[in-house]
Amino acid sequence: GDSVTQMEGPVTLSEEAFLTINCTYTATGYPSLFWYVQYPGEGLQLLLKATKADDKGSNKGFEATYRKETTSFHLEKGSVQVSDSAVYFCALNLAGGFKTIFGAGTRLFVKA
Amino acid sequence: GAVVSQHPSRVICKSGTSVKIECRSLDFQATTMFWYRQFPKQSLMLMATSNEGSKATYEQGVEKDKFLINHASLTLSTLTVTSAHPEDSSFYICSARADSNRSYNSPLHFGNGTRLTVT
């Protein structure tokens, strides 16, 4: 069935380190792909999205490229900050569907 | 734009009582809203899809008589946890997608969640 798999956390980095959070998906057709971020005690917010193959989503220094050949949508940031500490969710919307399928979430801790 | 307001943010209730959680889309209309439950250190579990003017669609394993959903208008959905038990303690989050942008390319907009503690 349709699913999203992302790397298990927690991920602990020092400030200014490079971040990669892996995300792969299984889906029929051509889904839209999203990264959401959840700060402590809050709901989720959209971080970035990509709607077709080779699209790159970017926001707040984060980037992810929709790779259809590897069914991946890895999240990257060149230099993380303490304020980036949060849980990051990879998700997809199926073409023609209405539900969003979420990965398990990856918790990121950034140390000063 | 696209703000979803969820209230209350925290609630503590006694076992056996009922609790109502409200989810409002403040600046857009949403025929459909979604209710999720999030366990500690786990992902979001979709509980039900709330449809304005009709019955909610519940996911497998979710008790519809325990988690009552009412979507009375295009901007308001409510989740009532009836006869609450300690195992219902959790973080509940609502979300919506604007009617004006129902494409599968469009993201969900989330409320800030409700932390329910049943004692």
Side-chain angles (χ1 to χ4, degrees), chain A residues 1-6 23-33 66-73 90-95 99-103:
Chain A
D2 305 305
S3 66
V4 176
T5 302
Q6 57 184 108
C23 171
T24 57
Y25 67 91
T26 301
T28 52
Y30 298 91
S32 290
L33 302 175
Y66 189 145
R67 301 285 189 202
K68 183 145 183 74
E69 63 277 13
T70 54
T71 62
S72 64
F73 193 54
C90 186
L92 67 83
N93 287 2
L94 297 168
K99 289 183 184 177
T100 298
I101 298 173
F102 288 89

Side-chain angles (χ1 to χ4, degrees), chain B residues 41-85:
Chain B
K41 300 183 180 180
Q42 293 189 25
S43 187
L44 301 160
M45 181 191 80
L46 178 65
M47 299 175 65
T49 302
S50 170
N51 304 296
E52 188 268 337
S54 64
K55 291 183 179 180
T57 304
Y58 290 83
E59 296 299 303
Q60 192 172 11
V62 178
E63 298 176 62
K64 62 180 180 181
D65 294 330
K66 179 167 191 58
F67 297 101
L68 299 179
I69 291 173
N70 183 20
H71 196 145
S73 76
L74 289 172
T75 59
L76 173 64
S77 175
T78 60
L79 168 67
T80 301
V81 183
T82 63
S83 188
H85 289 280

Side-chain angles (χ1 to χ4, degrees), chain A residues 32 36 38 49 93 99 103, chain B residues 38 43 59 97 104-105 108:
Chain A
S32 290
Y36 290 90
Q38 183 180 30
K49 71 173 186 179
N93 287 2
K99 289 183 184 177
Chain B
Q38 186 177 32
S43 187
E59 296 299 303
R97 187 177 286 119
Y104 77 98
N105 292 333
L108 291 171

